[in-house]
């Protein structure tokens, strides 16, 4: 305890040696303590090192790269004549992220005199081209529009000193990989590269390996919802019956709105179609949908025009829905951390929410992984197993206000108390947890009987 307090006391933005004009802007933002990723990353970025950061939006990642980048630009100001060259390029998948990042550079750099611009598609390029012509130090861009402007000779990247690739996994999911490689091909070989991705599948690691030089690796656990509480339950239901169970649950008016997660894009479309046929207003968002389609679907959901949003993990990342009553895991995620991200979407800002998980026979190992991560058994929902074509029994109480709330925050890993934003070095097992390997966690491996089955029986008995 004492040790913890001491280490917290030591943290402050002053200790990084950032320039006073940047510290002033940080103070104006009312940031007093660096977030874990800032604490880990800022010293290395200041040194000019390459970085591989496993972190998602919401962890304070933007300031983790923007503050030291601004510092470095100020330390070595450009003194040439004529138009300012682009010294920093930030590539990010969506216009919302681009806007947020540009805004952050504006806020943190407000006393520096440095200039930034933002380019993204879907709008006229005129004002973007004008800004570029005036000369800027920092460019925040989405890949498609940047390539357009490059092909027109409006952007030259040979002067870039620091390149930031943000949300690399989402870029890949959105099919940007070739665009990214083309853009990187135009950057000088000698540069600093900061690479961020919330997940690190093989393809992302491959890309990272090909563009980073001796990177510092940092991983940060996403900050869980501190204020809210989520009641969690599991429904044991076989795959063909999941859609009937979902329709049945949605028949309850306490389900004001629901974010439904499927493992695949195809699954999201299929569930959406089946709900629509059942007269439930539903839309899907996933990587195969255009930016406009996703924004529209999200807008409709937020405004209450649709009641159900069906999403894949990556598409749902970063979206913030205030007032979400239910999260339904139609498929269990194969990465247990995704479960925590998913259920953190409800129960925000002190409200209570309900997270329901459908678990088929093949998904039992995933459930075991989740329960190991959160260190508790998910209570089994009442009125189950659900059987289509039969009376499903008394409905589960789906009113979040009456729900038996289990706090989300008692997460642990390897026997430690869960602390939001905790970081560990990787690679290796990215979660550092002991026990079953990913390969072993595939559905079907050891599912059903044995210990798992016994534990199931114990659970039911305990009820
Ligand atoms: P990001 O992950 O960069 O999108 O940041 C998430 C949110 O955290 C943004 O609203 C930031 O303004 C805020 N934030 C970033 N760093 C800090 C900090 N050290 N203290 C308080 N808030 C912060």
């Amino acid at each position: 305890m004492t040790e913890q307090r001491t280490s917290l006391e030591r943290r402050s933005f002053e200790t990084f040696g950032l320039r006073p004009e940047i510290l002033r802007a940080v103070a104006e933002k009312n940031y007093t303590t660096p977030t874990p990723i800032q604490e880990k990353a800022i010293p290395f970025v200041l040194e000019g090192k390459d970085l591989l950061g496993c972190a998602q939006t919401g962890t304070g990642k933007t300031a983790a790269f923007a503050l030291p980048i601004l510092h470095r630009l100020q330390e070595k100001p450009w003194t040439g004549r004529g138009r300012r060259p682009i010294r920093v390029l930030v590539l990010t998948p969506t216009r919302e992220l681009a806007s947020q990042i540009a805004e952050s550079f504006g806020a943190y750099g407000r006393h520096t005199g440095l200039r930034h611009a933002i380019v993204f598609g879907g709008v006229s390029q005129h004002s973007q081209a004008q800004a570029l012509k005036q000369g800027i130090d920092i460019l925040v861009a989405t890949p498609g529009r940047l390539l357009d402007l490059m092909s027109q000779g409006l952007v030259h990247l040979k002067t870039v000193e620091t390149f930031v690739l943000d949300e690399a996994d989402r870029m890949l999911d959105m099919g940007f990989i070739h665009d990214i490689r083309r853009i990187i091909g135009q950057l000088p070989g000698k540069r600093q590269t900061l690479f961020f991705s919330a997940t690190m599948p093989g393809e992302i690691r491959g890309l990272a390996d090909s563009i980073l030089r001796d990177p510092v690796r940092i991983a940060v656990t996403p900050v869980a919802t501190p204020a809210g509480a989520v009641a969690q339950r599991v429904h044991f239901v076989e795959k063909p019956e999941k859609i009937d169970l979902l329709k049945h649950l949605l028949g309850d008016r306490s389900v004001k709105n629901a974010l439904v997660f499927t493992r695949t894009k195809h699954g999201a479309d299929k569930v959406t179609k089946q709900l629509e046929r059942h007269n439930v207003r539903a839309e899907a968002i996933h990587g195969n949908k255009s930016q406009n389609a996703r924004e529209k679907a999200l807008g409709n959901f937020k405004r209450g025009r649709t009641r159900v949003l069906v999403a894949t993990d990556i598409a749902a990342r970063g979206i913030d829905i205030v007032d979400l009553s239910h999260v339904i895991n139609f498929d269990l995620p194969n990465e247990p951390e995704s479960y925590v991200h998913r259920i953190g979407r409800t129960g925000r800002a002190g409200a209570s929410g309900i997270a329901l998980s459908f678990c088929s026979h093949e998904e039992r190992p995933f459930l075991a992984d989740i329960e190991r991560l959160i260190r508790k058994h998910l209570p089994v929902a009442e009125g189950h197993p659900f059987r289509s074509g039969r009376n499903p029994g008394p409905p589960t109480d789906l009113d979040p206000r009456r729900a038996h709330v289990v706090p989300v925050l008692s997460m642990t890993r390897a026997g430690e108390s869960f602390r939001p934003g905790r970081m560990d070095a990787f690679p290796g097992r990215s979660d550092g947890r002991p026990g079953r390997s990913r390969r072993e966690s595939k559905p079907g491996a050891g599912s059903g009987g044995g210990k798992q089955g016994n534990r199931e029986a114990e659970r039911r008995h305990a009820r």
Side-chain angles (χ1 to χ4, degrees):
M1 188 67 197
T2 318
E3 206 181 296
Q4 232 178 38
R5 209 178 294 130
T6 314
S7 74
L8 282 177
E9 277 165 8
R10 251 188 277 131
R11 288 186 203 155
S12 88
F13 282 96
E14 280 76 17
T15 58
F16 296 125
L18 290 164
R19 290 173 61 94
E21 64 271 33
I22 296 168
L23 288 175
R24 199 173 138 205
V26 168
E28 286 163 358
K29 288 286 285 180
N30 292 322
Y31 297 173
T32 48
T33 315
T35 66
I37 191 156
Q38 291 162 4
E39 201 185 350
K40 288 267 175 174
I42 289 174
F44 293 112
V45 182
L46 282 173
E47 277 179 36
K49 290 242 189 313
D50 279 7
L51 189 80
L52 178 56
C54 190
Q56 63 171 266
T57 302
T59 52
K61 167 180 63 134
T62 316
F65 63 78
L67 298 176
I69 283 177
L70 288 163
H71 173 96
R72 280 168 64 82
L73 291 176
Q74 286 290 86
E75 285 286 287
K76 228 174 69 186
W78 180 73
T79 50
R81 304 170 84 201
R83 195 165 78 181
R84 292 178 188 215
I86 298 171
R87 297 175 64 192
V88 176
L89 172 68
V90 183
L91 262 194
T92 188
T94 66
R95 77 176 80 157
E96 302 95 317
L97 285 169
S99 306
Q100 279 169 30
I101 293 169
E103 228 170 76
S104 299
F105 269 107
Y108 307 143
R110 59 188 296 209
H111 304 299
T112 61
L114 294 164
R115 289 200 221 142
H116 70 273
I118 172 171
V119 302
F120 52 73
V123 293
S124 149
Q125 73 165 45
H126 180 73
S127 59
Q128 298 175 0
Q130 286 302 111
L132 291 168
K133 277 180 192 153
Q134 281 166 20
I136 48 147
D137 304 279
I138 301 150
L139 178 62
V140 184
T142 56
R145 175 56 60 90
L146 178 63
L147 279 170
D148 276 356
L149 294 166
M150 284 162 65
S151 66
Q152 296 168 54
L154 292 167
V155 177
H156 301 280
L157 300 179
K158 283 291 170 221
T159 49
V160 168
E161 297 161 25
T162 303
F163 168 55
V164 181
L165 185 64
D166 185 42
E167 303 239 347
D169 54 353
R170 204 156 154 195
M171 295 263 205
L172 218 76
D173 187 59
M174 290 169 73
F176 283 141
I177 186 73
H178 298 296
D179 289 354
I180 294 168
R181 288 209 182 270
R182 277 173 64 200
I183 293 164
I184 291 172
Q186 297 300 310
L187 294 171
K190 188 171 171 289
R191 59 163 197 268
Q192 179 183 29
T193 303
L194 312 176
F195 186 113
F196 293 94
S197 189
T199 57
M200 289 284 165
E203 211 176 348
I204 292 292
R205 280 177 196 266
L207 177 66
D209 285 345
S210 68
I211 66 171
L212 294 169
R213 280 191 199 154
D214 189 22
V216 174
R217 293 158 196 266
I218 292 173
V220 54
T221 312
V223 179
T225 328
V230 179
Q232 304 168 64
R233 280 179 225 144
V234 61
H235 293 255
F236 290 105
V237 56
E238 293 317 316
K239 222 168 149 188
E241 292 168 340
K242 282 185 174 183
I243 189 69
D244 288 327
L245 175 58
L246 180 62
K247 288 178 195 166
H248 169 70
L249 293 170
L250 290 171
D252 191 311
R253 283 180 156 191
S254 307
V255 185
K256 194 175 142 258
N257 53 13
L259 181 57
V260 174
F261 284 95
T262 59
R263 201 157 34 229
T264 64
K265 300 169 198 174
H266 172 70
D269 284 333
K270 199 168 152 198
V271 168
T272 307
K273 282 201 191 98
Q274 285 171 310
L275 289 180
E276 278 172 339
R277 275 205 289 275
H278 191 66
N279 291 326
V280 176
R281 281 169 296 135
E283 281 189 88
I285 52 166
H286 53 66
N288 285 358
K289 301 253 171 188
S290 71
Q291 168 95 11
N292 279 341
R294 278 179 299 158
E295 273 176 23
K296 208 163 149 233
L298 186 59
N300 286 341
F301 186 63
K302 282 184 175 173
R303 281 189 284 276
R305 286 193 198 138
T306 44
R307 185 163 162 236
V308 178
L309 191 65
V310 188
T312 55
D313 284 303
I314 290 182
R317 184 167 329 126
I319 64 172
D320 199 14
I321 305 160
V322 185
D323 206 16
L324 174 67
S325 75
H326 289 72
V327 166
I328 300 179
N329 293 312
F330 190 88
D331 298 316
L332 281 184
N334 47 7
E335 300 280 341
E337 293 82 358
S338 297
Y339 175 82
V340 182
H341 302 171
R342 288 177 178 190
I343 70 167
R345 305 270 163 206
T346 184
R348 292 222 161 172
S352 48
I354 292 184
L356 304 173
S357 297
F358 296 180
C359 178
S360 68
H361 187 73
E362 297 91 59
E363 290 173 308
R364 295 280 173 94
F366 296 160
L367 179 64
D369 276 351
I370 290 164
E371 293 186 327
R372 197 175 297 119
L373 177 69
I374 67 175
R375 297 199 99 213
K376 66 161 75 88
H377 289 323
L378 294 183
V380 183
E382 301 284 350
H384 286 278
F386 178 81
R387 295 273 182 273
S388 55
R390 288 191 210 166
N391 182 349
T396 305
D397 190 352
L398 291 171
D399 188 337
R401 288 163 303 182
R402 287 193 300 268
H404 169 65
V405 163
V406 183
V408 187
L409 273 182
S410 53
M411 314 281 175
T412 56
R413 188 200 302 185
E416 306 165 11
S417 304
F418 176 83
R419 280 182 285 126
R422 191 161 33 79
M423 275 184 289
D424 299 280
F426 70 105
R429 262 203 77 139
S430 62
D431 58 9
R433 285 186 301 126
R436 198 197 300 259
S437 73
R438 290 265 186 263
R439 196 166 349 148
E440 285 166 330
S441 333
K442 286 215 172 92
S447 61
K451 275 185 195 158
Q452 183 73 29
N454 291 341
R455 211 182 60 199
E456 206 53 59
E458 273 167 31
R459 237 193 273 182
R460 287 179 197 283
H461 183 69
R463 288 188 59 82

